PDB file of all heavy atoms in Angstrom:
ATOM      1  N   ARG A  23      -3.129  -3.382  -8.788  1.00 92.00           N
ATOM      2  CA  ARG A  23      -4.389  -3.997  -9.234  1.00 92.00           C
ATOM      3  C   ARG A  23      -5.568  -3.093  -8.905  1.00 92.00           C
ATOM      4  O   ARG A  23      -6.489  -2.957  -9.687  1.00 92.00           O
ATOM      5  CB  ARG A  23      -4.531  -5.367  -8.556  1.00 92.00           C
ATOM      6  CG  ARG A  23      -5.828  -6.069  -8.826  1.00 92.00           C
ATOM      7  CD  ARG A  23      -5.874  -6.640 -10.245  1.00 92.00           C
ATOM      8  NE  ARG A  23      -7.009  -7.533 -10.365  1.00 92.00           N
ATOM      9  CZ  ARG A  23      -8.096  -7.228 -11.063  1.00 92.00           C
ATOM     10  NH1 ARG A  23      -8.183  -6.112 -11.714  1.00 92.00           N
ATOM     11  NH2 ARG A  23      -9.096  -8.071 -11.118  1.00 92.00           N
ATOM     12  N   VAL A  60     -11.919  -4.044  -0.047  1.00 92.00           N
ATOM     13  CA  VAL A  60     -10.590  -4.197  -0.630  1.00 92.00           C
ATOM     14  C   VAL A  60     -10.079  -5.624  -0.415  1.00 92.00           C
ATOM     15  O   VAL A  60      -9.530  -6.239  -1.337  1.00 92.00           O
ATOM     16  CB  VAL A  60      -9.608  -3.154  -0.061  1.00 92.00           C
ATOM     17  CG1 VAL A  60      -8.172  -3.471  -0.471  1.00 92.00           C
ATOM     18  CG2 VAL A  60      -9.999  -1.753  -0.511  1.00 92.00           C
ATOM     19  N   MET A  61     -10.285  -6.170   0.768  1.00 92.00           N
ATOM     20  CA  MET A  61      -9.845  -7.546   1.039  1.00 92.00           C
ATOM     21  C   MET A  61     -10.577  -8.544   0.135  1.00 92.00           C
ATOM     22  O   MET A  61      -9.968  -9.479  -0.381  1.00 92.00           O
ATOM     23  CB  MET A  61     -10.069  -7.900   2.511  1.00 92.00           C
ATOM     24  CG  MET A  61      -9.226  -7.090   3.462  1.00 92.00           C
ATOM     25  SD  MET A  61      -7.472  -7.392   3.314  1.00 92.00           S
ATOM     26  CE  MET A  61      -7.370  -8.974   4.108  1.00 92.00           C
ATOM     27  N   GLU A  62     -11.867  -8.337  -0.080  1.00 92.00           N
ATOM     28  CA  GLU A  62     -12.633  -9.220  -0.971  1.00 92.00           C
ATOM     29  C   GLU A  62     -12.098  -9.133  -2.401  1.00 92.00           C
ATOM     30  O   GLU A  62     -11.960 -10.156  -3.072  1.00 92.00           O
ATOM     31  CB  GLU A  62     -14.111  -8.848  -0.960  1.00 92.00           C
ATOM     32  CG  GLU A  62     -14.826  -9.247   0.311  1.00 92.00           C
ATOM     33  CD  GLU A  62     -16.247  -8.721   0.391  1.00 92.00           C
ATOM     34  OE1 GLU A  62     -16.695  -7.987  -0.543  1.00 92.00           O
ATOM     35  OE2 GLU A  62     -16.923  -9.010   1.391  1.00 92.00           O
ATOM     36  N   LYS A  63     -11.789  -7.926  -2.856  1.00 88.00           N
ATOM     37  CA  LYS A  63     -11.260  -7.766  -4.205  1.00 88.00           C
ATOM     38  C   LYS A  63      -9.894  -8.422  -4.347  1.00 88.00           C
ATOM     39  O   LYS A  63      -9.609  -9.047  -5.346  1.00 88.00           O
ATOM     40  CB  LYS A  63     -11.194  -6.287  -4.586  1.00 88.00           C
ATOM     41  CG  LYS A  63     -12.558  -5.676  -4.819  1.00 88.00           C
ATOM     42  CD  LYS A  63     -12.442  -4.241  -5.267  1.00 88.00           C
ATOM     43  CE  LYS A  63     -13.798  -3.668  -5.592  1.00 88.00           C
ATOM     44  NZ  LYS A  63     -14.427  -4.253  -6.772  1.00 88.00           N
ATOM     45  N   GLN A  64      -9.075  -8.320  -3.351  1.00 84.00           N
ATOM     46  CA  GLN A  64      -7.742  -8.939  -3.392  1.00 84.00           C
ATOM     47  C   GLN A  64      -7.848 -10.460  -3.367  1.00 84.00           C
ATOM     48  O   GLN A  64      -7.081 -11.141  -4.013  1.00 84.00           O
ATOM     49  CB  GLN A  64      -6.872  -8.447  -2.235  1.00 84.00           C
ATOM     50  CG  GLN A  64      -6.507  -6.986  -2.320  1.00 84.00           C
ATOM     51  CD  GLN A  64      -5.714  -6.638  -3.576  1.00 84.00           C
ATOM     52  OE1 GLN A  64      -4.868  -7.392  -4.014  1.00 84.00           O
ATOM     53  NE2 GLN A  64      -6.024  -5.503  -4.151  1.00 84.00           N
ATOM     54  N   GLY A  65      -8.807 -10.955  -2.606  1.00 83.00           N
ATOM     55  CA  GLY A  65      -8.988 -12.400  -2.500  1.00 83.00           C
ATOM     56  C   GLY A  65      -9.592 -13.021  -3.729  1.00 83.00           C
ATOM     57  O   GLY A  65      -9.481 -14.207  -3.960  1.00 83.00           O
ATOM     58  N   GLY A  66     -10.227 -12.198  -4.565  1.00 60.00           N
ATOM     59  CA  GLY A  66     -10.886 -12.701  -5.756  1.00 60.00           C
ATOM     60  C   GLY A  66      -9.967 -12.880  -6.946  1.00 60.00           C
ATOM     61  O   GLY A  66     -10.411 -13.153  -8.039  1.00 60.00           O
ATOM     62  N   GLU A  67      -8.665 -12.711  -6.757  1.00 52.00           N
ATOM     63  CA  GLU A  67      -7.735 -12.791  -7.884  1.00 52.00           C
ATOM     64  C   GLU A  67      -7.263 -14.190  -8.132  1.00 52.00           C
ATOM     65  O   GLU A  67      -7.118 -15.011  -7.343  1.00 52.00           O
ATOM     66  CB  GLU A  67      -6.542 -11.869  -7.638  1.00 52.00           C
ATOM     67  CG  GLU A  67      -7.008 -10.442  -7.523  1.00 52.00           C
ATOM     68  CD  GLU A  67      -5.852  -9.454  -7.391  1.00 52.00           C
ATOM     69  OE1 GLU A  67      -4.725  -9.855  -7.059  1.00 52.00           O
ATOM     70  OE2 GLU A  67      -6.107  -8.295  -7.637  1.00 52.00           O
TER      71      GLU A  67
END
Side-chain angles (χ1 to χ4, degrees):
R23 175 74 168 108
V60 170
M61 295 294 285
E62 287 173 358
K63 289 183 176 292
Q64 293 299 321
E67 299 185 342

